[in-house]
Amino acid sequence: ADAEGCSSLVLPGSLTADGQPLAGQTWDLNPTDVAYVVGVKRSPIDGPQTWSVTCAGCLSHVGMNEFGVSVGTTNVKTWGSKPGVGYLALLHRALQAPDAQTAAQLLSDAPRAGAHTYWLVDAQQQITLEAGPQHVFRRDTADAALCQTNHCLTPDHIALQGEPGSDSSHARIARLKAVTAQGGHTVESIKTLFADRSDGLLSINRYHEDEQGTATNAVFIAQPADRRAFACRGPADRGAWIELNF
């Protein structure tokens, strides 16, 4: 069984049909959690309005704020965890940022408890962080799309991984890279990619009946330039897609 999940992508405008960036991910976790997946709009007295998709009662998992700043995450495992701030609290804080650069700096400076990857995008900048408790490795979309699943990509973190990347994690990132490189993408083409079952049990789109210990509980796609996001509960080909906007 491969009980890890989540497949994320960040696309620069050069790879989209309208020249505007896109980002998103599947959120794959415990199959029984799907009943508790919610979209929450927050309108605080102090700070930006936000939309987040998460489990009822939890901090933000993926989301967008009224400035178009959008965030998400995938799980990785490294040695070296320590007392510190958990990943949901970091994402929740990042959604208060006025731009992607500020969000990335907040996460880079935070006392992180463990390893995770993060994507942080707005209309101008698209950033990913492979962040462990001690080190942060940053990439941006200057050269290509950024894709991530559940194994580390940077040598220093690969050396600290608690276990090797699974067949599923490697297959999913290979599929993401192959499809995103084709360019001309839209929200609809990303929905199709997140619904892909071409690789069977190793596919991006994961079903409860696969019995891997994980399933796609939600899917999220951000259009930061338009301050719009799209989300569904459950797999991309089974959930009812809704638009989240301001």
Side-chain angles (χ1 to χ4, degrees):
D2 176 20
E4 297 301 325
C6 301
S7 304
S8 72
L9 58 81
V10 178
L11 303 182
S14 59
L15 291 175
T16 68
D18 64 1
Q20 300 294 341
L22 288 170
Q25 70 171 92
T26 65
W27 166 20
D28 305 346
L29 203 60
N30 308 312
T32 53
D33 290 351
V34 70
Y36 305 98
V37 172
V38 292
V40 181
K41 187 177 184 182
R42 295 179 175 89
S43 299
I45 294 172
D46 183 17
Q49 295 183 57
T50 65
W51 270 106
S52 65
V53 176
T54 187
C55 280
C58 293
L59 297 172
S60 302
H61 191 103
V62 293
M64 173 184 282
N65 71 22
E66 65 179 280
F67 308 125
V69 178
S70 305
V71 305
T73 184
T74 76
N75 189 43
V76 292
K77 297 177 180 178
T78 68
W79 294 101
S81 60
K82 63 181 183 179
V85 183
Y87 75 103
L88 290 183
L90 294 174
L91 290 160
H92 200 72
R93 177 66 180 88
L95 277 176
Q96 298 179 40
D99 52 63
Q101 170 59 31
T102 302
Q105 196 63 52
L106 284 167
L107 269 61
S108 297
D109 293 343
R112 299 172 302 279
H116 257 263
T117 76
Y118 302 94
W119 54 266
L120 310 126
V121 307
D122 61 26
Q124 285 73 44
Q125 282 193 292
Q126 300 84 51
I127 302 163
T128 65
L129 303 178
E130 189 177 288
Q134 306 295 339
H135 307 289
V136 177
F137 298 95
R138 173 172 168 157
R139 297 185 295 160
D140 61 40
T141 54
D143 298 319
L146 303 176
C147 303
Q148 187 76 54
T149 50
N150 306 113
H151 59 279
C152 295
L153 302 179
T154 56
D156 287 358
H157 277 160
I158 290 171
L160 292 173
Q161 283 189 128
E163 57 192 37
S166 68
D167 291 343
S168 168
S169 187
H170 285 285
R172 285 182 280 119
I173 199 169
R175 178 68 62 182
L176 288 171
K177 288 180 176 180
V179 175
T180 56
Q182 297 169 12
H185 287 289
T186 64
V187 169
E188 293 305 315
S189 73
I190 299 305
K191 288 180 182 180
T192 299
L193 175 56
F194 284 151
D196 187 85
R197 289 285 295 182
S198 300
D199 300 306
L201 294 181
L202 305 181
S203 296
I204 293 168
N205 187 17
R206 310 178 84 175
Y207 293 157
H208 175 73
E209 58 264 33
D210 293 340
E211 297 183 348
Q212 294 189 89
T214 190
T216 297
N217 283 345
V219 189
F220 183 86
I221 301 171
Q223 278 188 308
D226 294 334
R227 301 187 306 145
R228 295 195 304 167
F230 303 86
C232 75
R233 176 190 289 166
D237 58 343
R238 293 181 173 180
W241 285 90
I242 61 171
E243 180 177 330
L244 312 176
N245 59 51
F246 299 96

